Amino acid sequence: MKNTGRAAAALLGLLSVAEAGGSFYFYRRTMKRGGAKVERTMSMAGTDWDQYRPMLEKRREYLNSQTQKEVYLTSDDGLRLHATWIPQGEKKKVVICFHGYTSRGKDDYVGLSDYYLKRGFSMLLPDARAHGDSEGQYIGFGCLDRFDALAWIRWVIRQAGEDVQILLHGTSMGGATVLMASGLALPPQVKAIVSDCGFTSAKEVFTHVLHSMYHLPAFPMIGIASLVNRWKAGYGLDDCNAAREVRKAKVPALLVHGSADSFVPCSMCDEIYENYGAEKQKLIVEGAAHAESYYKNREAYENALDQLIGGTIQ
């Protein structure tokens, strides 16, 4: 019996070590700069971008032909953050565009730049902390990025004047960022929010990915990763949840999601919509995968944007 007890204790010890090792491996691959890879994210998202390459290349050429400037600011916690500023006309209409996980500012808005620039919007394309040319080792998943978003909003007001009208547009992690920011005291210059395939929280989207793609239980891996992230990055994986934050929202929102999104489930959009505390509209694009809605049904997407902008920005 004594030997059996020792063997059971040894087995439990090995399992605990394995669980801890798996959690730290998961953490390094998802939460840290250098571990999180854009190729892996694109593979997991499963969107077929090759079919849109000709259109994207044409729009990238147009975007790159615009006057633009690389700009920087310092975050509240001392990071040097980067963005690309593309001014248009009187600069009184500005869209600030927040990109997705492992991407960078200009990459996620090549397609939509055509829509905004041709309607006279100046564009600010920030690189999120721990992405692109911005500093940082730990990814913010909207929880930290919402405060960076507020810093960029203030930058735009200083640049364009107190009478500027600002639209926030976010995709995936950027969508979560603008939704989480809606719960802050936004300056009155922010007139509306667009969230495309935004998630509720890092905890919930990671739980979904572990279940659906890796067939692994979330417990105890997510809990350990959350504790480590609180120690390393200063926040837990469910400290900020978009579905909770939007209850405090004061500006209108357009929520967009693809019905075939396997990376961030469409049910998260439904939950956020139900909780959104201000005027709202929802566009579910049938058959669209992750971040594909604009390309899958450009007409419906642009009509929804026209309706939102027409009712909020002059």
Side-chain angles (χ1 to χ4, degrees), residues 135-153:
E135 291 182 343
Q137 288 300 313
Y138 300 101
I139 297 172
F141 284 99
C143 190
L144 301 181
D145 305 295
R146 58 183 171 150
F147 300 112
D148 300 337
L150 196 56
W152 285 118
I153 291 166

Side-chain angles (χ1 to χ4, degrees), residues 61-77:
E61 184 178 351
Y62 174 69
L63 176 62
N64 288 337
S65 72
Q66 304 299 305
T67 299
Q68 48 198 277
K69 180 182 179 182
E70 307 310 312
V71 297
Y72 297 87
L73 59 74
T74 302
S75 69
D76 292 344
D77 54 350

Side-chain angles (χ1 to χ4, degrees), residues 176-195:
T177 296
V178 299
L179 292 170
M180 292 176 186
S182 75
L184 302 175
L186 295 175
Q189 289 84 356
V190 177
K191 302 301 182 183
I193 287 172
V194 182
S195 172

Side-chain angles (χ1 to χ4, degrees), residues 49-66:
W49 290 109
D50 287 340
Q51 61 187 310
Y52 305 116
R53 294 296 174 200
M55 183 268 274
L56 285 168
E57 287 308 312
K58 185 176 180 180
R59 293 196 174 188
R60 187 184 301 277
E61 184 178 351
Y62 174 69
L63 176 62
N64 288 337
S65 72
Q66 304 299 305

Side-chain angles (χ1 to χ4, degrees), residues 62 66 86 88 113-121 123:
Y62 174 69
Q66 304 299 305
I86 307 174
Q88 295 287 301
S113 64
D114 187 81
Y115 174 88
Y116 282 120
L117 293 173
K118 291 181 177 177
R119 285 163 176 78
F121 276 84
M123 299 184 74

